[in-house]
Amino acid sequence: MRIGYEITAVGERPSGIGTYALQLLHGLAEVEQGHEYLLLSNRPHSSPQLRALPGTSDLTRLCPSRMLWMQLLLPRQLGAARPDLCHYPNSLGPLRSSCPYVVTIHDMTLSQMPRFHPWRKQLLVRPLIPLVARNAARIITVSSQARDDLVRLLRVPAERVTVIPEAAAPSFRPASLAEQRRVRAAHGLHKPYLLYVGTLEPRKNLIRLIRAWHMLRQRRAIPQQLVLVGAPGWQYRPIFAEAHRLGCADDLIFAGYLPRDDLPGLYSAADAFAFPSLAEGFGLPVVEAMACGAPTLISDIGALREVAAGAALAVNPRDTAAISAALERLLSDEQLRCQLSAAGIARAASFSWQRTARETLAVYKAAVARQFCPQIAPMSGPLV
């Protein structure tokens, strides 16, 4: 097949959706050769991982606005390039398309929790998602919880929505002690630490995490620093302001965006990993942390429970005292940490980008053939 593949989310510093788009494309190229991938973007890409991929052609068309490019310029490009299919991995596609397309919609938080998104997204993106979903030949999402939300809110037939989970890259595995020491030294982490990885934004519930951790530090109940890894996102300033208000700057480290090569060592060296997000479609950092053996604390919400499948400690994300108590239990109970570490490694091993790529290719072929795709089993069951 000749496949158009949008890469606008893959920048020099990709976050969740950019990582999904990049790792999936690598998996697609690996599991079934012979297809041609037309890389679609409104801006130049400098990713060495993209440049190294065989069987790709660059169809970049410079435009300052992704929305204008996608709705006005891209349809003309596709008319000339004549792909068999296009895949848009970041929720939006062109309303006019000369070929069938697949869209990945990761979650429905823009409709469920609009206050956690910038007004531009609420104004420009939210109204388009239902139209794009209804025009798509097939829809991919990343968890059964996300599929249920999508079918209910967008009113699309369930048989047109296929659940295909994400995965940790093969580099995410327990790191050697030498690698852990290297990463800790490189980032000045000389004390035990509790880790978070992800964008710094309101939906990630970091103010409650900071308060919960600070309560324990005030009581001298734990020795761990709190290390927050990730780029500042929308409305990040209140997170920094809360750290300043509590006066915990010495032991609360904002590490910023770190190279992905450093993350396995960082996860592996952490005493625990905390991800108390208020809403997720999947929660890729949870799988990455578990793959590296980090004992993990998650929010007690549908998608994260589904992904962890009992291999992480779950807590009410809106209850700061409950988060604090769960952190104290996790950081004080060596046996619990060992159990969760082993369970997390086993659970994370059930996900792979090769599997994700194979199932995505099946969706592509069904979309081209105008056939319905069978649903995979819910992720709470064994993944084989």
Side-chain angles (χ1 to χ4, degrees):
M1 291 183 289
R2 197 170 202 221
I3 301 164
Y5 190 91
E6 188 205 355
I7 59 165
T8 56
V10 183
E12 291 183 7
R13 301 165 65 176
S15 56
I17 293 176
T19 298
Y20 166 82
L22 181 59
Q23 293 296 332
L24 174 57
L25 185 57
H26 271 273
L28 292 168
E30 178 182 338
V31 301
E32 192 169 292
Q33 298 177 358
H35 302 297
E36 180 185 4
Y37 293 92
L38 310 176
L39 305 184
L40 311 175
S41 181
N42 66 311
R43 58 190 178 188
H45 65 81
S46 56
S47 169
Q49 292 177 287
L50 282 178
R51 287 198 300 268
L53 275 175
T56 60
S57 304
D58 193 343
L59 285 192
T60 298
R61 176 72 180 272
L62 298 182
C63 181
S65 165
R66 174 180 176 240
M67 190 71 69
L68 291 177
W69 163 76
M70 180 171 282
Q71 302 304 332
L72 298 179
L73 302 180
L74 183 57
R76 298 178 189 175
Q77 285 183 275
L78 298 179
R82 300 178 64 83
D84 298 300
L85 173 87
C86 285
H87 184 183
Y88 302 101
N90 191 8
S91 299
L92 286 182
L95 298 179
R96 294 184 301 108
S97 179
S98 57
C99 65
Y101 67 81
V102 171
V103 61
T104 300
I105 301 177
H106 297 262
D107 59 59
M108 290 302 297
T109 60
L110 192 52
S111 295
Q112 294 171 308
M113 297 181 171
R115 68 187 183 280
F116 290 142
H117 295 274
W119 69 266
R120 288 176 61 86
K121 270 193 172 184
Q122 297 180 41
L123 184 65
L124 300 176
V125 176
R126 184 178 174 184
L128 288 180
I129 289 178
L131 301 175
V132 170
R134 288 167 195 163
N135 289 342
R138 296 292 182 271
I139 301 167
I140 293 172
T141 195
V142 291
S143 67
S144 297
Q145 179 66 59
R147 177 192 57 198
D148 293 345
D149 293 340
L150 194 154
V151 169
R152 175 172 52 86
L153 294 170
L154 298 183
R155 300 180 182 178
V156 294
E159 60 268 23
R160 286 181 51 225
V161 184
T162 304
V163 177
I164 306 178
E166 302 175 30
S171 59
F172 287 89
R173 57 185 183 272
S176 67
L177 290 177
E179 174 62 9
Q180 292 180 38
R181 285 194 293 267
R182 182 195 72 78
V183 171
R184 294 185 68 155
H187 302 291
L189 304 177
H190 305 299
K191 298 179 182 179
Y193 63 89
L194 169 69
L195 179 66
Y196 161 85
V197 175
T199 304
L200 308 185
E201 59 183 350
R203 181 162 61 100
K204 304 302 184 181
N205 203 27
L206 295 177
I207 288 179
R208 286 194 182 96
L209 175 61
I210 291 169
R211 290 173 180 168
W213 164 82
H214 186 251
M215 289 164 60
L216 299 176
R217 292 287 293 179
Q218 278 191 311
R219 292 196 290 109
R220 300 179 184 272
I222 59 169
Q224 285 84 6
Q225 295 178 312
L226 176 58
V227 179
L228 304 180
V229 173
W234 178 69
Q235 287 197 354
Y236 71 91
R237 294 185 187 279
I239 299 169
F240 287 84
E242 184 65 11
H244 179 74
R245 184 187 73 81
L246 293 173
C248 51
D250 289 345
D251 283 319
L252 174 54
I253 299 173
F254 290 96
Y257 186 94
L258 297 184
R260 287 191 68 77
D261 289 348
D262 286 356
L263 291 183
L266 203 65
Y267 283 126
S268 300
D271 286 349
F273 175 74
F275 199 76
S277 181
L278 294 171
E280 292 292 329
F282 186 79
L284 184 55
V286 170
V287 178
E288 293 176 346
M290 292 193 305
C292 295
T296 297
L297 175 74
I298 60 169
S299 301
D300 190 15
I301 59 174
L304 294 184
R305 285 199 312 268
E306 187 181 338
V307 168
L313 186 63
V315 66
N316 180 354
R318 299 184 182 277
D319 186 337
T320 302
I323 298 172
S324 187
L327 286 175
E328 183 171 14
R329 179 186 172 202
L330 184 58
L331 293 170
S332 304
D333 189 336
E334 179 75 22
Q335 184 177 1
L336 176 62
R337 289 204 304 277
C338 289
Q339 290 172 350
L340 291 178
S341 176
I345 291 171
R347 176 57 177 167
S350 64
F351 301 93
S352 79
W353 283 112
Q354 288 74 25
R355 177 196 171 186
T356 298
R358 283 193 296 268
E359 293 179 357
T360 300
L361 277 167
V363 172
Y364 290 175
K365 293 170 184 178
V368 170
R370 302 289 181 177
Q371 298 171 352
F372 287 123
C373 299
Q375 291 294 301
I376 67 171
M379 285 196 303
S380 55
L383 296 176
V384 294

